[in-house]
Amino acid sequence: MEAGEIEALERDVVAAVAPPEMVEIEGWLAPLAAGTIGRAKSAVPLAHDVDAGALEEIEAAFVSRGLAPGFRIAETPGLAPVREALAARGFTPRQPTVFKTGAVAQLAAFSGTSARLLTAPDEAWGAVFLGEGFDPVDGAHRVEVLTRSPAAIYGAAGEGEAIQAVGVMSFGARWAGIHGMRTARAHRGKGHASAILAAFGREAAARGYDRVCLQVEAPNETARSIYRRAGFREIWTYRYWRRD
């Protein structure tokens, strides 16, 4: 992926989580927020060949607002000096996450089952994030953040009128993005997530988008398998760098 494409992608990814404040520092985008969503509180380079010269200023921007500094760094060769500099400053990498991109047309044709698209989430939608197996604090924060994502739509699927699986699609300047995919533990393996993905693909196509992106934690092989079948391919892995 060329530098200009990386920048457009990263800008749309950060915009989707609607941080309350964001600054740009020497080729970096720094969303300044608290909470549990890593993308909303981690500085990210807008190219994969930046140097480490801005790290001190970025860190100061977080600290001056009472926030813990954090960075989201792709494991690409051009960012090796940044990773080395962060390690020297006492940061450690964690939470390996796979960045994937796909074609909207292929996603739209993924599943023959149906899902509903909501213009605003309701209580039943949010309740999926608070169900068995999910961290309730993290779930509540994700519902809060994802429901303020600009121009987002909210996917819901389940048996009958029940909501047993959910997700969010954001619409950036160039990229549609998928976030917050969750399926209640007792209802996994029934095709609900696939139905939501396909519904998102059809909506993105109707809005004129042709590319879609998402992130999935590397150990989550079940979700990664679904995304592979939906046509997503891995473009890089990133980690969050934080101090203990």
Side-chain angles (χ1 to χ4, degrees):
M1 186 175 288
E2 296 179 357
E5 293 179 297
I6 293 171
E7 178 175 352
L9 179 58
E10 294 291 13
R11 287 187 183 279
D12 283 352
V13 166
V14 173
V17 291
E21 184 182 4
M22 186 162 54
V23 296
E24 291 191 38
I25 300 173
E26 297 182 26
W28 291 72
L29 200 60
L32 300 168
T36 61
I37 298 180
R39 284 170 288 140
K41 60 179 184 179
S42 303
V44 63
L46 294 174
H48 286 180
D49 57 357
V50 301
D51 61 35
L55 296 184
E56 183 173 354
E57 185 177 353
I58 294 169
E59 187 173 345
F62 282 95
V63 172
S64 68
R65 293 160 174 84
L67 300 171
F71 297 83
R72 177 165 59 86
I73 307 299
E75 297 189 327
T76 55
L79 291 176
V82 171
R83 296 192 294 271
E84 293 169 2
L86 285 172
R89 297 177 71 87
F91 289 82
T92 56
R94 59 197 71 182
Q95 197 178 338
T97 304
V98 179
F99 216 137
K100 289 174 170 275
T101 62
V104 165
Q106 186 171 354
L107 183 63
F110 177 45
S111 171
T113 58
S114 61
R116 287 166 280 163
L117 296 181
L118 313 174
T119 56
D122 57 20
E123 185 176 348
W125 187 94
V128 175
F129 284 85
L130 307 176
E132 181 185 1
F134 297 127
D135 181 328
V137 174
D138 176 64
H141 181 69
R142 288 181 183 273
V143 170
E144 177 188 354
V145 171
L146 292 171
T147 52
R148 69 171 186 248
S149 182
I153 58 169
Y154 303 88
E159 298 172 10
E161 295 299 313
I163 297 180
Q164 294 153 349
V166 297
V168 182
M169 174 164 267
S170 62
F171 298 95
R174 291 173 58 179
W175 288 82
I178 293 173
H179 318 271
M181 294 291 295
R182 295 286 189 278
T183 300
R185 177 175 289 180
H187 298 279
R188 292 173 184 171
K190 298 179 180 180
H192 298 324
S194 299
I196 291 173
L197 291 172
F200 283 160
R202 292 190 291 271
E203 180 66 18
R207 297 189 185 207
Y209 287 83
D210 60 2
R211 301 293 294 169
V212 60
C213 66
L214 57 80
Q215 302 86 48
V216 55
E217 292 190 11
N220 191 348
E221 184 53 43
T222 299
R224 291 175 67 180
S225 176
I226 293 172
Y227 298 143
R228 279 194 294 269
R229 295 198 303 273
F232 286 89
R233 65 180 183 88
E234 300 178 8
I235 54 173
W236 61 71
T237 296
Y238 63 77
R239 293 177 187 257
Y240 291 103
W241 289 71
R242 304 198 182 281
R243 291 195 177 97
D244 292 331

